[in-house]
Amino acid sequence: MRISYLGPEGTYSEAAALGRADQAAPEGARLVPFATIPAAVGAVEEGDADEAVVPMENSLEGVVTHTADLLIHRTRLTIRGEIVLPIHHCLVLQPGLAFPDVRVVYSHPQALAQCRGFLARRLPNAEPVASLSTAGAVGDMQESERPAGAISSLRAAELFGAEVAALDIEDVRSNKTRFVVLGATDSERTGRDKTSICFDFREDAAGILHGALGELATRNINMTRVESRPDRRSLGRYFFLIDVEGHREDPVVREALAGIRARASIFKVLGSYPRSKV
């Protein structure tokens, strides 16, 4: 099995991909890193990988917009699994550098946001600068001509020989990221499933979203997540992304999805898959 992920080595996506490999390919899998989320997804679409593991949402910062927008607008791949990882960031510094000397801190935008409070308290004079990944941030720091630090995983720091200045710097210790596994098909029913959908409405009207969600409520189907994303056609128009308990082939879920589909202008099942145990 070939699993693509947001690389390079040392990213949290790699950790999630390793977890997926243990789940789905105990006989072994080859992990293939890519520089961006779209590239990791494209590898599966082009047949260069069997599955992609990409971040979907974080408990502090919410939805990962690149992944959500790919699922809504571009890819035909479906969600076939999920992995939830605790996320613990560390601060690495250039050799011999003290906190007051740091002028720039590199990391992925999500990691920078998850450590916003720490940066304000301990590095108030440092400019946050976005990197393609938390692991890539270590390289950016090492190549920086300005006094620099980076926010990364401990594994990335060890892989690239960086000096760790502080551990567990995330603002909330219960910080977790949910990754989704994308493939050509979703998963069969297991009895402990989740289904992700997205939809929008042709026209705005009072109670229109309430009516769609009522298809779930009247059937006692639990909704575990709801997000909105701009529909890209006009200001103030949105796609809604919803996760519900149950598989799309469960009779009661199938009825509810048919009811929502009848109310929506665009409707898409993003996949049914086993719920994470974390």
Side-chain angles (χ1 to χ4, degrees):
M1 177 178 280
R2 301 160 299 168
I3 301 175
S4 62
Y5 69 94
L6 176 64
E9 285 184 293
T11 61
Y12 297 103
S13 292
E14 184 204 31
L18 288 167
R20 177 59 178 178
D22 289 341
Q23 271 182 4
E27 72 282 0
R30 181 162 66 92
L31 270 56
V32 188
F34 287 86
T36 65
I37 291 172
V41 173
V44 182
E45 294 171 329
E46 297 298 321
D48 296 323
D50 301 297
E51 294 182 343
V53 175
V54 292
M56 185 68 193
E57 62 173 326
N58 175 261
S59 59
L60 304 186
E61 292 299 312
V63 69
V64 177
T65 56
H66 281 166
T67 303
D69 290 345
L70 279 170
L71 286 167
I72 295 170
H73 299 288
R74 207 203 77 179
T75 189
R76 293 188 177 182
L77 301 181
T78 60
I79 303 174
R80 62 189 313 176
E82 67 174 3
I83 300 154
V84 178
L85 290 184
I87 303 296
H88 299 295
H89 299 298
C90 67
L91 176 72
V92 298
L93 298 177
Q94 291 171 335
L97 199 63
F99 277 44
D101 303 323
V102 179
R103 291 295 174 264
V104 59
V105 176
Y106 295 96
S107 200
H108 188 276
Q110 282 270 336
L112 290 169
Q114 292 163 25
C115 302
R116 189 182 292 115
F118 175 87
L119 294 175
R121 291 191 309 273
R122 301 296 305 276
L123 298 167
N125 298 318
E127 175 191 1
V129 174
S131 297
L132 287 175
S133 68
T134 50
V138 180
D140 292 339
M141 175 202 72
Q142 291 171 329
E143 296 172 4
S144 176
E145 296 181 356
R146 301 167 64 189
I151 295 172
S152 75
S153 68
L154 183 59
R155 172 170 161 77
E158 294 169 345
L159 280 172
F160 298 108
E163 181 178 311
V164 177
L167 294 169
D168 299 336
I169 66 170
E170 62 279 357
D171 293 335
V172 178
R173 292 298 173 87
S174 59
N175 187 24
K176 294 179 180 179
T177 294
R178 174 179 171 241
F179 297 83
V180 291
V181 182
L182 304 182
T185 60
D186 59 2
S187 296
E188 297 181 356
R189 296 166 68 184
T190 67
R192 192 178 183 277
D193 301 301
K194 179 188 289 186
T195 296
S196 297
I197 64 173
C198 69
F199 57 91
D200 76 348
F201 303 106
R202 184 172 290 108
E203 296 179 357
D204 195 12
I208 193 166
L209 179 59
H210 180 273
L213 299 183
E215 299 287 348
L216 303 172
T218 57
R219 295 173 175 85
N220 201 32
I221 297 172
N222 186 37
M223 182 174 64
T224 60
R225 183 178 75 104
V226 59
E227 298 270 0
S228 63
R229 291 292 299 148
D231 74 355
R232 297 185 173 183
R233 290 176 291 181
S234 61
L235 184 65
R237 298 287 299 278
Y238 297 92
F239 268 94
F240 297 95
L241 297 98
I242 290 176
D243 292 348
V244 301
E245 291 182 353
H247 194 281
R248 60 182 173 78
E249 293 298 335
D250 294 343
V252 67
V253 175
R254 187 166 59 239
E255 290 176 4
L257 298 187
I260 296 173
R261 187 191 299 271
R263 296 170 179 270
S265 57
I266 298 175
F267 177 90
K268 185 178 181 182
V269 176
L270 302 178
S272 290
Y273 46 94
R275 282 179 281 158
S276 171
K277 296 179 181 179
V278 178

